[in-house]
Every structure is written in structure tokens, then in C-alpha cells.
Amino acid sequence: MKEGSFKPDYSKDITPVGKYKDVLILNLPISTDTNVEPLICAFKDNKLLGAIHLKSDDTWDVIGPDKKVTSEINVKDKNLYKEFGADLMYFPGREDINY
């Protein structure tokens, strides 16, 4: 936030998830034809390190820093939560972000 301002410098839909050392983890919702799906992104020094697109068809696309899908993970029948929440994904040594 800018000094003297109570408005964040990012879209209200972008949610900080946490941080690991000097890597910031953000949830950026993306719209598809039928749903809004989470895109969990890792940033360091304002550069994208990678992302995971949690798709509604029970697959996750792993995305590299070049914004290309590097692999796909099938999470069907893995008993994971359907929405991004506190227990869906854990990052080692995650520290809470105060917002």
C-alpha cells in the first residue's frame, strides 16, 4: 500500500496466500467458460517463479516461469478440498501474511 492510502495496489480479487522466505504466494482467480478457478502463483523480486492452476475438472496444471504448462497432476479421488482454502495446500515453513 502507498503511504497514506488504505487502498491496496493490487486487484481486490488477488489474495495473498502466504510467503516462504522471500517468495510471495498469491491466489489469482481466473474465469473460465463455466467457473472461476484459482491460479496459485509464486513471485520473487516481482518475477513469476511458477504457478499451479487448480482446475475444476480435478486436474492441476503446473506452470513454469515462461507461463507454459510443464506438467499436469490428476487429483481426482485424492480427497482434496474443492476450493482453495487453508488446508488445500501447504508450503514448507510458511509464514502468515498480515493483510
Side-chain angles (χ1 to χ4, degrees):
M1 290 188 184
K2 295 178 182 172
E3 186 176 350
S5 169
F6 293 103
K7 290 179 146 183
D9 289 337
Y10 53 86
S11 167
K12 66 179 176 131
D13 296 328
I14 298 173
T15 308
V17 174
K19 64 180 178 174
Y20 177 70
K21 297 185 181 180
D22 56 353
V23 175
L24 177 63
I25 312 296
L26 299 174
N27 175 9
L28 290 75
I30 56 174
S31 294
T32 67
D33 291 339
T34 56
N35 292 315
V36 175
E37 300 171 339
L39 180 66
I40 310 303
C41 300
F43 290 93
K44 180 177 178 179
D45 299 327
N46 292 324
K47 293 180 184 168
L48 177 68
L49 296 178
I52 300 174
H53 178 190
L54 309 176
K55 301 188 314 187
S56 59
D57 67 356
D58 290 331
T59 60
W60 295 0
D61 284 343
V62 179
I63 301 166
D66 59 358
K67 300 179 184 173
K68 294 182 181 175
V69 175
T70 60
S71 63
E72 182 180 277
I73 301 169
N74 184 340
V75 296
K76 187 174 176 119
D77 300 323
K78 301 281 194 262
N79 296 323
L80 297 174
Y81 291 96
K82 297 292 181 191
E83 296 180 23
F84 186 78
D87 296 325
L88 179 70
M89 200 179 284
Y90 287 102
F91 297 95
R94 191 189 130 230
E95 302 169 31
D96 291 332
I97 292 180
N98 296 320
Y99 56 94

